[in-house]
Amino acid sequence: MRIAQVSPLIESVPPQTYGGIERVVSNLTESLVKEGHDVTLFASGDSKTSADLYAVVEQSLRLSQTPRDPEIAQIIQLEKLIQMRDRFDIIHFHIETIHFPLVRHLGIPHVTTLHSRLDRPDVISLYQEFPEVPVVSISDAQRQFIPDANWVSTVYNGIPVNEKFNDSPGDYLLFLGRFCPDKGPEEAIDIALKSNIRLKMAAKVDVTDKAYFESRIKPFLEHPLIEYLGEVGEPQKTELICGARALLFPIKWPEPFGLVMTEAMACGTPVIAFMEGSVPEVVKPGVSGFIVETVQEAVAAVSKISQLDRRLCRKYFENRFTCQHMAQGYLQTYQSVLAEWKRKAHPGKPVFKKQDHASSATQPVISKGIAFQK
């Protein structure tokens, strides 16, 4: 199957540090290539992939030394995709909803995975306007805010099965991700202090959350039980997870999935999570962690964490959240979308006329690894 994967340009694929969506796109792309599919990844030029890489920016926008307007870069990416659309059997979008007006006239099968929150007040009006766009949820809980959207499937995010497993963890708890109120870093600190256990915090601070970090988090970083590590890369993150007694996930928002929970389970590290969003679909109480509703319940869960078998936690991950599970879920989704597309025999011609690609001035250069416009 010839598949286009369209990723956001903010982070590379995979991301060098923080970036859940881009990590999922990378895992899916590499898995599909291993399955023998012809995959083209539309992403930033510093991405690393075994698929064909087509880039409209040389470096991910967040790390770029040259300021770039994300909207302009995304529009150019979509234009290049339009020019190349005849090369693909299906296009898989991971860029939320900016492409919705385009796909209505694109004339090729497509599907969109919705990776972000859907509880904003104006979201319903968008799906009332575009009820036909096929979309994939990353948890069943994610659907509750727009139940009438054209849901094709639910496919859980998957990560590689690695050899990093630790049956003898260290003496600390771990908070990973981003410093913002929704992620619950204050609650994580409270849980650690009341449990009298060290807490390592490896998280990034977005510009929009800087004031929150300075006023609500930074004052605690001088406490001897709290260790701030900043934003960490993949190898360091894995080592941190393996050594933790438990991952704290005290979220206060309807998290669509929570990739870090599966990253913890893959190392055999249990998760203590608040009852929000996808948590009940990801965490199995008494096996891969505990689901709680208050800080006090979380403290009680910390005292019981040694009762869990980390090998069973790892096994639970292997049975549900691997790259292979994700790839198979999406391949079934693609087949479903293609069958429905064929059934409807999409009438009419695409609005976009085919362009003459014979000119060497406009012909994209594609190779295994990377492609740019000449």
Side-chain angles (χ1 to χ4, degrees):
M1 192 181 302
R2 300 175 304 165
I3 308 165
Q5 297 289 337
V6 185
S7 178
L9 300 171
I10 298 297
E11 305 286 349
S12 62
V13 177
Q16 296 182 33
T17 50
Y18 184 87
I21 296 174
E22 294 82 5
R23 196 170 306 284
V24 170
V25 174
S26 176
N27 292 340
L28 175 59
T29 297
E30 300 310 303
S31 297
L32 292 173
V33 171
K34 287 181 181 178
E35 292 278 341
H37 297 280
D38 182 0
V39 185
T40 299
L41 173 64
F42 289 78
S44 62
D46 52 351
S47 299
K48 300 183 184 304
T49 180
S50 57
D52 292 330
L53 174 62
Y54 190 88
V56 297
V57 293
E58 294 188 20
Q59 189 175 24
S60 55
L61 301 183
R62 187 169 74 92
L63 299 180
S64 177
Q65 300 299 313
T66 304
R68 298 289 298 269
D69 187 320
E71 184 175 321
I72 291 175
Q74 195 76 79
I75 290 172
I76 295 174
Q77 183 190 60
L78 290 174
E79 171 58 23
K80 300 307 177 186
L81 176 66
I82 292 169
Q83 295 174 10
M84 298 168 60
R85 67 190 183 280
D86 291 339
R87 302 180 182 210
F88 311 117
D89 298 314
I90 192 167
I91 299 174
H92 189 171
F93 293 96
H94 301 270
I95 55 175
E96 297 310 315
T97 59
I98 189 175
H99 59 286
F100 276 17
L102 179 152
V103 297
R104 179 171 277 177
H105 311 286
L106 191 56
I108 187 172
H110 57 87
V111 68
T112 299
T113 295
L114 301 176
H115 292 274
S116 300
R117 65 191 308 164
L118 301 175
D119 58 332
R120 301 185 304 273
D122 55 343
V123 166
I124 292 178
S125 62
L126 180 68
Y127 290 89
Q128 289 173 338
E129 176 61 36
F130 296 96
E132 79 282 6
V133 176
V135 289
V136 174
S137 53
I138 54 177
S139 68
D140 290 336
Q142 187 188 25
R143 299 186 179 197
Q144 63 178 303
F145 302 104
I146 46 171
D148 297 327
N150 185 19
W151 296 111
V152 180
S153 63
T154 291
V155 181
Y156 293 142
N157 291 335
I159 61 174
V161 178
N162 58 46
E163 302 303 319
K164 297 292 185 179
F165 172 77
N166 185 6
D167 203 21
S168 302
D171 61 349
Y172 64 88
L173 303 171
L174 181 64
F175 176 86
L176 276 173
R178 183 161 52 91
F179 285 114
C180 70
D182 285 343
K183 297 291 187 179
E186 292 179 78
E187 286 72 17
I189 291 171
D190 198 13
I191 293 166
L193 294 181
K194 288 179 177 176
S195 301
N196 196 33
I197 297 178
R198 286 194 303 147
L199 174 65
K200 295 190 177 187
M201 308 188 80
K204 76 168 184 174
V205 183
D206 281 341
V207 174
T208 54
D209 299 315
K210 189 173 182 179
Y212 167 76
F213 174 78
E214 293 289 335
S215 63
R216 305 293 297 178
I217 303 300
K218 196 172 182 179
F220 288 101
L221 301 184
E222 299 299 323
H223 194 285
L225 287 178
I226 309 301
E227 183 180 357
Y228 173 48
L229 302 173
E231 195 173 355
V232 298
E234 192 67 18
Q236 187 181 359
K237 180 176 71 170
T238 301
E239 292 301 323
L240 284 169
I241 293 174
C242 282
R245 286 195 198 179
L247 173 78
L248 298 184
F249 198 69
I251 56 171
K252 298 187 293 181
W253 72 296
E255 177 82 58
F257 186 77
L259 191 65
V260 69
M261 291 190 287
T262 59
E263 291 175 329
M265 292 180 228
C267 297
T269 300
V271 179
I272 299 175
F274 279 15
M275 176 70 83
E276 292 282 355
S278 64
V279 165
E281 296 176 58
V282 180
V283 177
K284 185 173 183 179
V287 176
S288 64
F290 296 105
I291 300 175
V292 300
E293 297 191 25
T294 65
V295 167
Q296 201 55 46
E297 288 182 10
V299 173
V302 170
S303 67
K304 298 185 296 182
I305 208 71
S306 61
Q307 299 174 14
L308 300 185
D309 188 332
R310 292 171 74 98
R311 291 167 296 182
L312 293 180
C313 179
R314 161 79 175 208
K315 189 67 177 177
Y316 177 73
F317 154 77
E318 291 176 349
N319 290 336
R320 291 173 64 86
F321 302 118
T322 67
C323 289
Q324 185 177 9
H325 285 96
M326 176 173 62
Q328 290 304 313
Y330 276 118
L331 287 171
Q332 292 173 14
T333 299
Y334 299 158
Q335 294 294 346
S336 176
V337 170
L338 288 168
E340 180 66 10
W341 186 273
K342 185 176 181 180
R343 185 187 70 80
K344 289 183 177 179
H346 200 61
K349 295 182 179 180
V351 170
F352 302 103
K353 295 181 180 180
K354 291 185 179 180
Q355 303 204 4
D356 181 7
H357 298 309
S359 170
S360 62
T362 59
Q363 177 68 20
V365 180
I366 300 183
S367 62
K368 279 293 178 184
I370 191 166
F372 290 101
Q373 285 298 111
K374 280 186 178 178

